[in-house]
DNA sequence: TCAACGTGGACATAAAACGTCCCATATGAT
DNA sequence: ATCATATGGGACGTTTTATGTCCACGTTGA
């Protein structure tokens, strides 16, 4: 059974979307006994016209009885709902989760791949693949795309492709060097993405965290200044999310600073900033890359991160509230959902 | 698993059609090793443009590899075909059958509902329902529709509906009275259909088989003559198919005639005529209703019949070669397929 | 080298989906 | 009995998508 669904996902990705839509309509009609088109459209958050197309179809299948008084479910419709119940969770559990998380954080889109990146590398790859689709869909001609580092972003970079060379696009690192391994550097990832898609890329050869003096003098350099300006005007930002302490350690942040951040409740790290559980930024620092105020004005901010252990961190960054799209995996999503659940009580 | 397929067939029949299309493309590509768009389109009997849309999609799913040299299937594509195999028959077995029968008899359309009308009344009703859809789709304003009698046609009549009254349509019996029970008379069925759809109807109160003298004198009657002329110009004919001997007995055909027909190999009966296995008409008779030459010129001829026992008869009438659409059930279709198979050897 | 066959781009046009408004009508409260 | 309200369905202009048709250009194999 499960394998059939997997096949259909590949061969007809929107099959499940349509199926869910029709299922939800049918269910809503059943719960409402008798209901009119307009109020049904409102309660399902659909426009009247597309709902109408669907109800017309359901009527033609005799799953819905629809007359001048309104519509109600037929016997065959009830039977179908019953028979479908056992499949529902397997088929649409993730969609439900997506919708829940999307709504709670006010995101434009949430994509969840099944599995746990912590446990299985395959899930990590899936995550990368999903990130690619999202990115591809959001990219337009002449876009500048800023990307951060990290293993997840590296997965995205290694799977990104494009049918035709995207000569007009420009990939840039969101931040300067952060003392990570070369493969996971933002610079590396930006260049990989550009090479794989036939796009342009520019590097930012500057350490990320800078003292005021160094910052000022670097920004005097015309070539640094120019690329920094390009970065700060990126239309799309793609970033990973990490655990604050893990990242701090990996980046050899000063022990005293680490302690300070810990004291302030630092939980998550993303595009060089550290966030506490409420999405507040802990420890603002001068940077040559994207600053918070740039992020806030970026048109499309895409977060990509997965693994059960990252659930909390992801939730923290989402609470920061300037992301538009979240791509994650099932394990992390379940953690996030649990956090939402807990605090809504 | 099987029940999921049943659900999907109700909830998204149109998407399953797409799924099959993509599967067949993928399979054809695999069988061809490497093939170009045009020749593939030809072998699948699709236009080049729609095939292209599909192959573009399959490429985006990475199921197909497509470069300047042509296209071939990817590893993922092969895997998908393998995994899909066990589901294929359950999902599209009937579509395959439909296509096979359609091609063999050169029909415009074949519709098969699952089950065996001989065994289950529910299948009979399904058959009627399917007949309704076909008829509805083929009907246009101002059409005259001639219908025959029989229990299957009665099923159609009892389920035919129309959203809006079809005031411009006219239902007429294809033939005169044939000595069957009232419910199954063509007259009854025509009037039922008309009443249920808000259409017009006309009756033909004349015995079907007539001697030459009676025929001539009846045709002198202006009102008989008029309706007969209308019948003979029907744009659509809907007819059932029966076993020759069963029908002959039910209609109390003269024993000597029955013997004669038997000797000539009469196998099937339809719209008052008897056919042998080759679709040749046995025993032409004068009739006030539709004659063979009328049928041959009718724009849309729809045959509706099911049940394993009728498979042979249906095949015989199809061989007659003037039907456009066949609506039948699985059991009959399997019989028909077996007959096709047997003689193609 | 050349001919045949391949893909992919381009574009006009047909067809479908969609948003929006309106109307006759059924329903239920008054 | 009547009236306000909500209903389905028709209509229609607009936008989006699908489709037919050509053509440019690259690859391949003779």
């Amino acid at each position: 059974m499960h394998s059939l669904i997997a096949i259909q996902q590949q061969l007809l990705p929107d099959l499940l979307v349509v199926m869910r839509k029709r299922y939800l309509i049918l269910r809503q009609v059943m719960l409402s006994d008798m209901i009119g088109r307009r109020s049904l459209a409102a309660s399902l958050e659909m426009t009247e016209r597309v709902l109408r197309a669907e109800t017309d179809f359901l009527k033609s299948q005799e799953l819905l009885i629809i007359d001048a008084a309104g519509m109600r479910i037929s016997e065959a419709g009830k039977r179908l709902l019953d028979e479908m119940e056992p499949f529902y969770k397997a088929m649409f559990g993730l969609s439900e989760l997506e919708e829940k998380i999307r709504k709670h954080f006010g995101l434009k889109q949430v994509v969840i791949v099944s599995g746990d990146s912590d446990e299985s590398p395959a899930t990590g790859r899936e995550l990368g693949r999903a990130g690619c689709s999202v990115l591809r869909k959001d990219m337009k001609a002449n876009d500048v795309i800023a990307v951060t580092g990290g293993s997840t972003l590296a997965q995205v970079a290694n799977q990104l492709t494009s049918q035709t060379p995207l000569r007009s696009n420009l990939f840039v690192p969101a931040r300067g060097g952060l003392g990570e391994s070369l493969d996971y550097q933002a610079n590396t990832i930006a260049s990989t993405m550009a090479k794989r898609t036939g796009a342009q890329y520019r590097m930012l050869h500057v350490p990320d965290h800078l003292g005021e003096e160094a910052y000022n003098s670097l920004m005097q350099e015309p070539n640094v200044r120019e690329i920094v300006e390009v970065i700060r005007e990126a239309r799309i930002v793609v970033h990973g999310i990490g655990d604050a302490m893990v990242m701090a350690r990996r980046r050899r942040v000063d022990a005293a600073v680490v302690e300070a951040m810990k004291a302030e409740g630092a939980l998550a790290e993303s595009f060089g900033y550290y966030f506490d559980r409420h999405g507040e930024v802990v420890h603002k620092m001068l940077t040559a890359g994207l600053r918070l105020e740039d992020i806030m004005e970026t048109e499309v901010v895409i977060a990509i991160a997965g693994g059960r252990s990252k659930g909390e961190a992801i939730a923290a960054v989402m609470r920061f509230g300037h992301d538009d799209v979240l791509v994650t995996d099932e394990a992390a999503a379940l953690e996030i959902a649990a956090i939402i659940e807990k605090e809504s009580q």
Side-chain angles (χ1 to χ4, degrees), chain A:
Chain A
M1 188 276 287
H2 192 275
S3 72
L4 177 59
I5 296 173
I7 292 169
Q8 294 182 334
Q9 291 274 34
Q10 285 186 76
L11 217 46
L12 208 51
D14 46 359
L15 178 137
L16 288 194
V17 176
V18 176
M19 194 166 171
R20 176 155 179 264
K21 182 163 67 177
R22 292 181 181 168
Y23 173 85
L24 290 178
I25 292 172
L26 217 46
R27 195 185 61 171
Q28 191 64 32
V29 171
M30 170 146 89
L31 296 177
S32 315
D33 257 21
M34 174 80 86
I35 190 171
R37 194 207 305 149
R38 277 174 273 269
S39 44
L40 184 59
S43 75
L44 289 168
E45 299 179 54
M46 296 176 147
T47 66
E48 193 186 324
R49 196 62 182 75
V50 321
L51 174 71
R52 185 170 168 182
E54 296 301 338
T55 54
D56 282 356
F57 166 80
L58 291 171
K59 178 186 176 187
S60 80
Q61 294 293 103
E62 300 188 22
L63 299 169
L64 225 52
I65 298 168
I66 157 173
D67 57 31
M71 40 199 168
R72 59 192 192 281
I73 195 167
S74 73
E75 281 309 310
K78 271 188 199 155
R79 218 175 310 128
L80 184 101
L81 282 183
D82 275 356
E83 286 167 6
M84 190 148 165
E85 177 136 358
F87 301 109
Y88 186 82
K89 213 165 81 192
M91 299 188 81
F92 307 121
L94 292 188
S95 313
E96 296 280 281
L97 253 185
E98 284 173 357
E99 189 57 14
K100 180 175 184 175
I101 294 173
R102 191 191 69 75
K103 269 197 171 165
H104 187 263
F105 295 111
L107 300 168
K108 277 217 300 273
Q109 190 190 1
V110 172
V111 176
I112 303 177
V113 304
S114 65
D116 184 346
S117 309
D118 288 346
E119 309 269 330
S120 110
T123 302
R125 278 195 300 276
E126 240 343 271
L127 197 61
R129 225 176 66 91
C132 290
S133 323
V134 168
L135 177 55
R136 251 198 308 268
K137 223 178 52 199
D138 281 320
M139 274 173 63
K140 293 190 307 199
N142 300 103
D143 275 351
V144 175
I145 299 115
V147 299
T148 70
S151 60
T152 306
L153 266 289
Q155 282 286 4
V156 176
N158 288 326
Q159 296 185 71
L160 194 62
T161 54
S162 168
Q163 344 218 24
T164 54
L166 307 171
R167 292 197 190 79
S168 77
N169 291 110
L170 175 63
F171 284 90
V172 294
R175 308 282 304 230
L178 279 158
E180 294 180 283
S181 86
L182 181 67
D183 286 349
Y184 298 164
Q185 288 283 343
N187 271 329
T188 313
I189 287 169
S191 91
T192 306
M193 286 183 174
K195 282 173 191 158
R196 291 185 57 92
T197 56
Q200 310 288 115
Y201 67 95
R202 303 283 297 276
M203 305 277 87
L204 179 62
H205 295 296
V206 184
D208 190 66
H209 295 335
L210 293 165
E212 196 165 340
E213 200 174 328
Y215 176 80
N216 286 331
S217 68
L218 262 174
M219 289 302 271
Q220 298 299 322
E221 292 288 329
N223 51 351
V224 171
R225 191 196 186 94
E226 186 209 1
I227 165 75
V228 167
E229 271 164 16
V230 171
I231 291 175
R232 291 182 177 170
E233 278 170 6
R235 199 183 73 89
I236 301 182
V237 171
V238 187
H239 66 92
I241 294 175
D243 177 85
M245 292 306 124
V246 172
M247 293 308 287
R249 222 168 299 136
R250 191 181 299 169
R251 289 171 182 171
R252 311 185 202 292
V253 175
D254 193 76
V257 178
V258 170
E259 276 312 308
M261 291 199 305
K262 208 179 210 166
E264 292 185 87
L267 197 71
E269 182 278 345
S270 194
F271 36 82
Y273 290 94
Y274 293 83
F275 299 84
D276 69 11
R277 63 179 331 104
H278 305 105
E280 302 293 338
V281 176
V282 177
H283 246 60
K284 260 189 192 167
M285 288 160 289
L286 218 49
T287 172
L290 271 182
R291 295 158 305 184
L292 283 175
E293 56 262 45
D294 301 319
I295 297 272
M296 291 176 189
E297 289 182 356
T298 306
E299 245 180 281
V300 184
V301 181
I302 303 173
I304 309 184
R308 181 188 169 84
S309 64
K310 284 205 184 161
E312 215 179 350
I314 295 171
V317 176
M318 288 303 110
R319 210 168 303 271
F320 171 56
H322 293 279
D323 276 272
D324 298 294
V325 182
L326 168 64
V327 181
T328 186
D329 63 18
E330 193 177 358
L334 287 171
E335 283 292 306
I336 297 168
I339 293 170
I340 293 174
E341 208 62 54
K342 202 187 302 170
E343 75 190 19
S344 76
Q345 283 169 0

